[in-house]
DNA sequence: GCCATAGTTAGCAATATGGCTAAGCATGAT
DNA sequence: ATCATGCTTAGCCATATTGCTAACTATGGC
C-alpha cells in the first residue's frame, strides 16, 4: 500500500538541498518541533516551513499537530525508492562495464595507427 | 583528469529530473552521441545539451569529442556518494527506531506498574 | 569549394526555488 | 482577559531551472 507518492523526482529533489538533508539528519536523532528544527539552520520559520512541506510532500517526514506544537518525524521507508533505483542502476551500469571494457580495448587497438 | 565534485546536492539535483534519469538509463545500455540522446526525449538539442552539462557537472557522465561527434558515457562510481549517504541514513534511522521501540515499551511497562 | 551534419552559443520567456518581512491565528500560561 | 508562544499565510525579491529559437562554428563528404 503506497500511501506516499514514491515519485523519484520529488524524492531526489527533496534530498538535493543541504538544509533539508540537515533537517533529516537532525530528525534521525529524535522527532522535533518546527522551532527546534529552525534553530540550527539559522533560517526563519517560514523558510523552514517551506522546506518541511517539501520533505513532507516527498514522503520523507510526517508531521502532526498537538495544541500549537507541530511535531515532525522521519519516515524511514521513504528512502527505499531512491535506494532501489540506485541499486538497479548500479547493477545495469556495472553489467555494461564489462562490455565497455571489451569495446575500449578494441578501440585502443585500432587507434594505434 | 579533473576530479568531479561528489557534492550530494549536485548529485541529487541531477537525478531529480526525469529527462536526465532517462538519459542515464539510455546511456547505461551504451555510450551515445548527443543527437542520439536527444531523439527519444523529444527535446531540442540545446535543451539536451543543458541536461548533459548538468549530468557532467554532477560527475555522472563523461563526454569526449571526436571530430564533430561528442560521445557521452556513464561514470558508474558517480552514484556511490548517493548510495553511501542513503545507506548511512537508513542505518541511523533504523537505529533510532529501535531506541524508540525500547522507549515505548518502557513507557508501557511503567504504565502497568 | 560547397553543402549537409553535429554541435555550440546567445538570448528569450515562463516557472520554480529559496530566502525574507509583516501580519494573522490558535493555544497555553498568568 | 491578556499576553507570549508557536505556527501559518501572504506576498515580495533575487536567482535558478527548463524549455525554446536563431545564429554560429566546425567537420566530413562530394
Amino acid at each position: 500500500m503506497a500511501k506516499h507518492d514514491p515519485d523519484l523526482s520529488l524524492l531526489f529533489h527533496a534530498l538535493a538541498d543541504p538544509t533539508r538533508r540537515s533537517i533529516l539528519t537532525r530528525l534521525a536523532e529524535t522527532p522535533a518541533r518546527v522551532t527546534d528544527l529552525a534553530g540550527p539552520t539559522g533560517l526563519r520559520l517560514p523558510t523552514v516551513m517551506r522546506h518541511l512541506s517539501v520533505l513532507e510532500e516527498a514522503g520523507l517526514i510526517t508531521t502532526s499537530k498537538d495544541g500549537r506544537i507541530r511535531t515532525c518525524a522521519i519516515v524511514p521507508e521513504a528512502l527505499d525508492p531512491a535506494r532501489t533505483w540506485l541499486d538497479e542502476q548500479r547493477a545495469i551500469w556495472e553489467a555494461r562495464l564489462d562490455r565497455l571494457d571489451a569495446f575500449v580495448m578494441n578501440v585502443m587497438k585500432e587507434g594505434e595507427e
Side-chain angles (χ1 to χ4, degrees), chain A:
Chain A
M1 45 170 132
K3 337 177 192 178
H4 299 293
D5 187 347
D7 188 320
L8 284 175
S9 298
L10 279 180
L11 202 45
F12 282 131
H13 171 68
L15 296 177
D17 185 280
T19 297
R20 286 194 288 268
R21 287 197 305 277
S22 76
I23 289 177
L24 286 179
T25 54
R26 163 65 188 79
L27 284 178
E29 290 176 31
T30 170
R33 301 177 307 159
V34 175
T35 308
D36 293 338
L37 293 173
T41 65
L43 299 174
R44 301 294 185 173
L45 265 189
T47 306
V48 172
M49 290 285 298
R50 206 77 195 275
H51 284 301
L52 290 178
S53 70
V54 170
L55 288 171
E56 192 167 15
E57 278 178 31
L60 284 162
I61 67 172
T62 49
T63 75
S64 60
K65 200 165 182 181
D66 180 21
R68 49 182 170 166
I69 293 178
R70 177 171 298 281
T71 301
C72 308
I74 50 173
V75 178
E77 62 271 26
L79 290 182
D80 290 351
R83 273 187 49 81
T84 300
W85 189 87
L86 287 181
D87 285 346
E88 286 173 0
Q89 291 305 312
R90 192 176 66 156
I92 300 173
W93 294 17
E94 284 179 356
R96 203 191 66 68
L97 268 197
D98 299 337
R99 282 181 279 134
L100 180 60
D101 281 345
F103 170 76
V104 169
M105 302 258 254
N106 200 17
V107 169
M108 288 175 69
K109 208 189 297 176
E110 290 177 358
E112 296 291 335
E113 332 181 290

